[in-house]
Amino acid sequence: MKVEIDFIKLIKDDKTAPVNRDGLKPLFELAESIKLEKCLSTKKNIEKLFYNIDFNEFNSEELSTYLSFIYYAGFRSDIVFVKIQAFLKTNILSNATEVCLRKGLLIRFLIERKPDTFSIQSLLDESGIREKAPWIWIDCISHYSFSLAIKEITAHINEVNSIRNLIVRIPTFLKRYGKDELRNAFIDWHSNIIDSKSRASLDSWATNLQIKIGMSISAEVRFKKLSFYQETLM
Amino acid sequence: MSKFDEYLNCKCCQDILSTEYSQVIDNIIEDDETFITESMKIELFSYLMCHDGNSSIMNYFDDFFDNPINKDLSDKLYLLKGKVVDLSIYGKNLGRVSSISGFMRSLKAALSKLVVPSSDIDDEAFIEYFMIEPQAISSTPQKIFLDYINDIGIADFKIQEYPMWTFDGFFDEDVFKGYEIKDLPCILGLPGPMRTAIDYDKIPRMTFSFSIPNNIVVRKPTSFDAGYMPVWRIGGKTKVHNEGIIKYGEFGFEEYIHEPILYKDIISQLIKL
């Protein structure tokens, strides 16, 4: 079937595909066309393919591309969700990082579109994803409880690349939870960072956010560490 | 009678010539043979004659121009072969218009080398945080995006993996005067989702300015760079879409193509179109 060959090839080749004058690669040009309802027959053919797609045939990068395509093309079809739910019900025994990563990507996709189809408890039970793909798990849990997400970030804050992973998410957190929530979170993270460079980076983001975090955080952290006697004297 | 007639009679060429993509064939035939030689053209037409009809012609074209696949740009047989632009280009700031989703996909590909990117559903919030409206250019001096890419550690990463199409003078007052930023996709003749002019204005886009590094060779695009892109015209200037011709004339800005710049070369804010 012509479209089947092209579609899977487009996903597999996306990483190395050339972009057009506009910066779009062929797979995402197709997504734009489908979104604008310019190629309905192709859309239908691709929808049919969703029934037969085996997530095990994708590596995590390809799976991520596939999910992005569905998002950018604006597919609303339930087939994808049914497939994901069915896949997650199969007994995935391996706790290998790649397996956890793929499972995490599917759960994140599901939760963000249909949070009711997953529960906070089942997410807490996903210890493999929590351990092997913590930032995906954090993305997931943040949809149910930002305070749990904050705690989990705090638990990982001194790991390699954690500040980068956190900064990547700041615009989203800001939009979803607002400045006040984020300010409280910053205080928590800031007081737990060991590395001075990472702390400086967080300070700089606090300044960017204009939520009076720079000096006030330092002061608040200092206050937290003062004894009651010292506070009284001040 | 064209020297390529024997090739143009093949089914694939005839199919293309019967559609709105026929300009692609015209571009190739008419292109300056100092850069896109007759033998290169014959190679392409011979390739087209072998199209078996089982894959889309667009992808089939892309595979040709992307040859050899998965190699560095410097190894590509057909890209970036046009006339080199003189050294005065290095004193200018160039402009770039990109689809927002294309920019996001490239950014996330860069991020994924260092971090676990957040999901696509957050992309809108993400890019909106950094973009400004055209009328806010002078009143928003903060370059938050540049801070961001520095903190994440991708300042030295390429902005995309493939050649960048850019244009002259976007932030140069003399050239920009009289042009409205929101009209840039029209002036630049950017493609719609099917690479024709149809729905070109339905694709959400952004623009920014950058300084071109001295180590990047800037060239004029050829028909082989444009590939399966019927909105492109030979001549070195962008082809304004029909609806903008009365206002801006048929041709817009000088256009260039070159290896991608780095994120740190961006010198302006990201402006939403």
Side-chain angles (χ1 to χ4, degrees):
Chain A
M1 197 164 92
K2 191 177 104 180
V3 176
E4 182 174 7
I5 296 163
D6 277 351
F7 181 57
I8 301 297
K9 185 176 183 293
L10 283 175
I11 290 173
K12 300 264 183 193
D13 290 351
D14 184 67
K15 192 178 172 187
T16 51
V19 298
N20 69 12
R21 284 209 291 176
D22 221 0
L24 277 175
K25 294 185 176 195
L27 182 67
F28 287 86
E29 284 184 297
L30 179 61
E32 294 279 3
S33 314
I34 289 172
K35 196 174 182 179
L36 294 173
E37 301 193 332
K38 287 294 160 193
C39 45
L40 290 174
S41 61
T42 307
K43 184 183 179 183
K44 279 182 185 169
N45 283 333
I46 288 174
E47 256 176 345
K48 282 181 197 163
L49 288 175
F50 290 163
Y51 284 110
N52 300 320
I53 278 182
D54 178 0
F55 297 128
N56 285 315
E57 284 181 15
F58 291 139
N59 63 32
S60 57
E61 200 169 354
E62 290 160 355
L63 180 62
S64 180
T65 304
Y66 169 71
L67 296 175
S68 296
F69 173 81
I70 290 169
Y71 172 72
Y72 276 104
F75 275 101
R76 300 277 182 269
S77 167
D78 275 346
I79 303 164
V80 178
F81 300 108
V82 171
K83 284 287 291 186
I84 292 174
Q85 282 174 298
F87 181 79
L88 293 173
K89 277 179 191 164
T90 59
N91 202 7
I92 305 169
L93 293 171
S94 171
N95 255 0
T97 302
E98 175 69 11
V99 174
C100 292
L101 204 52
R102 276 189 289 161
K103 195 177 172 191
L105 288 170
L106 291 171
I107 291 175
R108 184 170 76 178
F109 185 87
L110 195 65
I111 285 175
E112 286 171 343
R113 277 89 183 165
K114 298 200 171 195
D116 294 346
T117 54
F118 219 78
S119 72
I120 190 165
Q121 188 52 51
S122 38
L123 192 55
L124 289 166
D125 292 342
E126 290 291 349
S127 55
I129 299 170
R130 193 172 183 176
E131 184 193 343
K132 301 283 175 56
W135 286 93
I136 291 181
W137 192 86
I138 287 164
D139 290 339
C140 294
I141 200 75
S142 71
H143 282 274
Y144 297 107
S145 162
F146 189 43
S147 61
L148 280 178
I150 293 170
K151 277 184 191 166
E152 194 70 8
I153 292 170
T154 306
H156 291 275
I157 201 80
N158 289 306
E159 290 172 6
V160 176
N161 275 342
S162 277
I163 291 295
R164 284 174 168 164
N165 271 300
L166 173 57
I167 290 170
V168 162
R169 286 159 175 79
I170 284 177
T172 303
F173 287 159
L174 183 65
K175 175 144 187 182
R176 274 203 224 146
Y177 308 109
K179 262 185 197 176
D180 289 341
E181 284 284 321
L182 207 51
R183 182 180 179 279
N184 294 332
F186 263 60
I187 291 167
D188 206 12
W189 298 326
H190 192 277
S191 59
N192 281 285
I193 294 176
I194 297 167
D195 176 50
S196 58
K197 197 178 165 192
S198 299
R199 195 180 301 124
S201 188
L202 202 65
D203 278 345
S204 126
W205 274 91
T207 308
N208 274 343
L209 290 167
Q210 298 173 331
I211 48 178
K212 293 183 181 175
I213 285 237
M215 283 304 291
S216 61
I217 267 192
S218 308
E220 199 151 340
V221 170
R222 277 201 298 274
F223 273 124
K224 275 186 179 177
K225 288 178 180 169
L226 288 174
S227 67
F228 175 73
Y229 171 73
Q230 286 171 302
E231 280 187 63
T232 314
L233 283 177
M234 286 178 79
Chain B
M1 180 92 179
S2 156
K3 57 189 172 186
F4 302 108
D5 275 357
E6 65 172 291
Y7 302 102
L8 297 183
N9 286 327
C10 76
K11 184 176 183 311
C12 179
C13 284
Q14 285 296 308
D15 284 351
I16 296 169
L17 287 167
S18 67
T19 67
E20 64 269 46
Y21 297 92
S22 62
Q23 185 68 46
V24 171
I25 301 289
D26 293 345
N27 288 338
I28 290 161
I29 291 173
E30 289 169 24
D31 207 351
D32 186 340
E33 293 195 349
T34 314
F35 303 100
I36 302 302
T37 62
E38 184 179 336
S39 65
M40 287 167 76
K41 294 178 185 181
I42 287 172
E43 191 183 345
L44 171 61
F45 285 127
S46 303
Y47 172 82
L48 291 179
M49 287 176 82
C50 297
H51 182 239
D52 60 9
N54 285 331
S55 61
S56 82
I57 188 65
M58 186 176 92
N59 297 340
Y60 192 67
F61 249 83
D62 283 348
D63 285 347
F64 178 86
F65 295 115
D66 192 23
N67 197 351
I69 291 169
N70 295 336
K71 291 284 184 182
D72 288 342
L73 282 177
S74 55
D75 293 325
K76 301 285 179 192
L77 295 173
Y78 310 109
L79 304 179
L80 297 171
K81 302 299 177 201
K83 184 183 179 184
V84 175
V85 177
D86 69 63
L87 295 175
S88 66
I89 194 78
Y90 297 103
K92 295 177 178 174
N93 296 331
L94 300 185
R96 162 81 177 152
V97 170
S98 167
S99 73
I100 292 176
S101 62
F103 186 84
M104 276 303 302
R105 298 291 309 158
S106 293
L107 182 64
K108 290 182 98 165
L111 290 174
S112 68
K113 290 172 186 166
L114 295 174
V115 299
V116 180
S118 55
S119 82
D120 305 302
I121 212 163
D122 296 326
D123 285 358
E124 202 178 326
F126 178 93
I127 201 71
E128 270 183 13
Y129 179 69
F130 295 110
M131 282 195 306
I132 60 166
E133 298 289 335
Q135 57 270 28
I137 291 174
S138 58
S139 61
T140 317
Q142 213 176 7
K143 291 176 181 172
I144 296 177
F145 183 69
L146 300 184
D147 288 347
Y148 183 84
I149 58 166
N150 274 314
D151 282 352
I152 300 290
I154 60 165
D156 287 320
F157 282 39
K158 286 179 182 174
I159 207 162
Q160 61 187 43
E161 293 299 323
Y162 264 74
M164 279 181 80
W165 289 75
T166 56
F167 58 95
D168 199 4
F170 170 38
F171 288 101
D172 180 320
E173 197 181 342
D174 290 332
V175 176
F176 184 64
K177 201 176 285 180
Y179 296 87
E180 293 190 41
I181 291 179
K182 69 174 176 54
D183 288 344
L184 278 173
C186 174
I187 299 167
L188 300 174
L190 292 179
M194 306 297 279
R195 301 193 188 180
T196 66
I198 298 168
D199 285 331
Y200 80 90
D201 56 342
K202 302 276 195 311
I203 295 179
R205 290 184 166 100
M206 59 188 291
T207 185
F208 56 85
S209 182
F210 64 93
S211 59
I212 186 87
N214 288 333
N215 63 333
I216 286 185
V217 178
V218 181
R219 294 174 184 271
K220 300 299 283 183
T222 69
S223 59
F224 275 34
D225 291 308
Y228 204 62
M229 188 84 71
V231 288
W232 184 79
R233 295 292 186 280
I234 55 176
K237 287 198 169 193
T238 63
K239 162 74 177 67
V240 177
H241 285 309
N242 289 341
E243 64 200 78
I245 289 177
I246 292 173
K247 196 172 176 184
Y248 296 112
E250 192 173 353
F251 293 99
F253 298 129
E254 290 288 337
E255 63 181 348
Y256 308 113
I257 190 163
H258 47 80
E259 294 226 14
I261 58 161
L262 309 180
Y263 280 103
K264 69 180 179 189
D265 297 320
I266 296 176
I267 56 166
S268 74
Q269 293 140 319
L270 307 179
I271 301 158
K272 190 177 186 177
L273 293 179

